[in-house]
Amino acid sequence: MASQDERRFRSVAWGCVVLGSLLLTVGLLAAGGAALFMQRSTQTEGVVLRLQAALTQGRDYGEPDVVPVVGYVDDAGFAREVNGQVGGEPTAWRVGARVPVRYQRLADGALSARIDTPGEVWGVPLGIALFGMAFVGAGVLVLRATRRPDRY
């Protein structure tokens, strides 16, 4: 008969496997969306207009991470702006620097745009997928460690 602690470990492990599977699925779906975006989007050149504080806290707690705000011109000749999604140190971007931008016109006429760097396009989807894989792996390891030899 399994001990109370062993049953608790196993239930937490199953929770990790389920949560990790959900995160892994969401990350893979988001990566698929990023792949479709890359396939269907148009690339153009943009210019870093300014830097703004990111939503994440900086490493030194006194200096916030920043994201670039990049200006570009779409295929209709309109000037547009896109905000970076991945925060970094203020020295990572230089105002006036030229950077590639990808944009896609959606069915309703709106534009979806991203700075065309691997971190901006693939960072969030792959980060979620890796986090989910870590949860699944941890759950499987605990399930294997608490397996009773007389049952198998």
Side-chain angles (χ1 to χ4, degrees), residues 68-88:
V69 177
V70 177
Y72 69 97
V73 177
D74 68 10
D75 55 358
F78 291 105
R80 308 276 184 176
E81 289 184 2
V82 60
N83 292 355
Q85 298 177 14
V86 179

Side-chain angles (χ1 to χ4, degrees), residues 61-106:
Y61 297 110
E63 182 178 330
D65 285 344
V66 297
V67 293
V69 177
V70 177
Y72 69 97
V73 177
D74 68 10
D75 55 358
F78 291 105
R80 308 276 184 176
E81 289 184 2
V82 60
N83 292 355
Q85 298 177 14
V86 179
E89 296 179 18
T91 58
W93 299 95
R94 189 175 45 83
V95 174
R98 299 201 174 280
V99 295
V101 173
R102 286 194 165 275
Y103 68 92
Q104 174 185 3
R105 191 166 302 279
L106 304 176

Side-chain angles (χ1 to χ4, degrees), residues 20-36 122 124-133 136:
S21 297
L22 291 172
L23 287 171
L24 180 59
T25 302
V26 168
L28 292 176
L29 287 172
L36 282 175
W122 300 102
V124 172
L126 294 181
I128 293 171
L130 289 173
F131 196 63
M133 283 180 12
V136 169

Side-chain angles (χ1 to χ4, degrees), residues 3-152:
S3 72
Q4 184 74 17
D5 287 339
E6 186 177 297
R7 282 192 297 244
R8 199 171 293 142
F9 276 133
R10 289 184 68 76
S11 64
V12 169
W14 276 111
C16 285
V17 169
V18 170
L19 177 64
S21 297
L22 291 172
L23 287 171
L24 180 59
T25 302
V26 168
L28 292 176
L29 287 172
L36 282 175
F37 175 79
M38 292 296 288
Q39 182 182 25
R40 297 177 179 171
S41 62
T42 303
Q43 187 177 36
T44 188
E45 188 175 80
V47 176
V48 177
L49 302 174
R50 63 186 176 281
L51 303 176
Q52 67 184 30
L55 295 177
T56 59
Q57 177 64 37
R59 285 168 258 321
D60 295 342
Y61 297 110
E63 182 178 330
D65 285 344
V66 297
V67 293
V69 177
V70 177
Y72 69 97
V73 177
D74 68 10
D75 55 358
F78 291 105
R80 308 276 184 176
E81 289 184 2
V82 60
N83 292 355
Q85 298 177 14
V86 179
E89 296 179 18
T91 58
W93 299 95
R94 189 175 45 83
V95 174
R98 299 201 174 280
V99 295
V101 173
R102 286 194 165 275
Y103 68 92
Q104 174 185 3
R105 191 166 302 279
L106 304 176
D108 65 355
L111 286 181
S112 174
R114 295 183 191 147
I115 298 169
D116 192 10
T117 63
E120 291 282 334
V121 175
W122 300 102
V124 172
L126 294 181
I128 293 171
L130 289 173
F131 196 63
M133 283 180 12
F135 264 77
V136 169
V140 167
L141 286 175
V142 171
L143 287 172
R144 289 183 56 87
T146 58
R147 178 176 62 183
R148 289 189 359 202
D150 59 334
R151 289 184 69 190
Y152 300 103

